[in-house]
Amino acid sequence: MTLRTPELHTARLRLRPFTDADAASLYALHSSAHVLRYWDSPPWTEPARAQRFIATCRTIEEEGTGARVAVDRVSDGAFIGWCSLFSWNPDFRSASLGYVFDAAAWGHGYATETAHAVLRWAFDTLDLNRVQAETDTRNVASARVLEKLGFVREGTLREDCVVNGDVSDSWVFGLLRREWHPEVDRQPRSR
């Protein structure tokens, strides 16, 4: 069963399927040790990894197991990151959420705005009942994003990853359909 990757729009962002033209920007994002300091795999060291990532995006779409969207800022068209809905299980009406953003995009509400759009699509179009997310316990900024979206921290996976040679714990978050509030304004406030 194919799961068509959506094109979604917010006030400041365009979420769209990846194309081959995204390879250089994607490589720049995933080769940053700073951006991936809590990631469960090391930064990329070979540009070909970006092409394999894009090919995997197509594969998960064709297999119907998920969707990854590239995130562009509307004001200048810049690629600033990506968001993924993966491990989609239509029988259980569940999936997992993940995202990565360029360090220059941090602190502007882009992750929250992006995830909100993906969650709206997931609950409305895919009729999900539950979305799960995990984050390294040291990544408090990502935990805040999930909490702003209504996710509840459900537990800790102890020593479940090795990040940069260090054993680390992960928090598991869950968001249920009955807890989802799509009408809540997720736009950042002026500073």
Side-chain angles (χ1 to χ4, degrees):
M1 173 177 180
T2 299
L3 175 62
R4 187 171 171 271
T5 300
E7 181 161 326
L8 306 169
H9 298 270
T10 71
R12 303 182 303 157
L13 304 171
R14 175 179 171 232
L15 288 60
R16 57 169 178 79
F18 275 94
T19 69
D20 291 335
D22 295 313
S25 297
L26 186 61
Y27 177 72
L29 175 69
H30 275 270
S31 62
S32 168
H34 180 64
V35 168
L36 298 183
R37 69 185 183 274
Y38 301 123
W39 204 250
D40 58 1
S41 60
W44 295 351
T45 57
E46 57 181 80
R49 289 286 305 270
Q51 285 298 339
R52 291 197 300 269
F53 179 98
I54 293 168
T56 300
C57 292
R58 294 181 185 119
T59 300
I60 64 174
E61 179 181 58
E62 291 166 7
E63 293 174 345
T65 58
R68 287 180 183 156
V69 291
V71 181
D72 297 330
R73 192 171 36 228
V74 171
S75 63
D76 60 4
F79 170 85
I80 61 170
W82 61 269
C83 187
S84 175
L85 192 71
F86 59 99
S87 299
W88 179 47
N89 185 322
D91 294 330
F92 295 159
R93 296 175 47 222
S94 65
S96 293
L97 178 77
Y99 44 81
V100 178
F101 284 86
D102 184 78
W106 295 352
H108 298 281
Y110 295 133
T112 304
E113 191 172 333
T114 296
H116 185 265
V118 170
L119 288 167
R120 181 184 297 271
W121 173 73
F123 285 119
D124 292 351
T125 303
L126 302 181
D127 191 34
L128 293 187
N129 184 59
R130 175 185 168 81
V131 178
Q132 180 171 307
E134 294 177 17
T135 187
D136 189 295
T137 57
R138 298 168 295 176
N139 193 348
V140 294
S142 186
R144 270 196 310 271
V145 166
L146 295 169
E147 289 167 349
K148 281 190 252 177
L149 292 163
F151 280 82
V152 173
R153 191 168 67 188
E154 298 176 334
T156 303
L157 299 174
R158 299 177 310 141
E159 298 184 7
D160 73 316
C161 287
V162 177
V163 177
N164 296 319
D166 296 324
V167 175
S168 83
D169 299 339
S170 294
W171 283 321
V172 177
F173 289 84
L175 178 62
L176 304 179
R177 171 185 284 284
R178 68 176 182 268
E179 300 165 341
W180 168 241
H181 300 288
E183 69 285 350
V184 175
D185 180 11
R186 303 294 181 192
Q187 302 298 319
R189 303 289 179 232
S190 298
R191 296 178 190 206

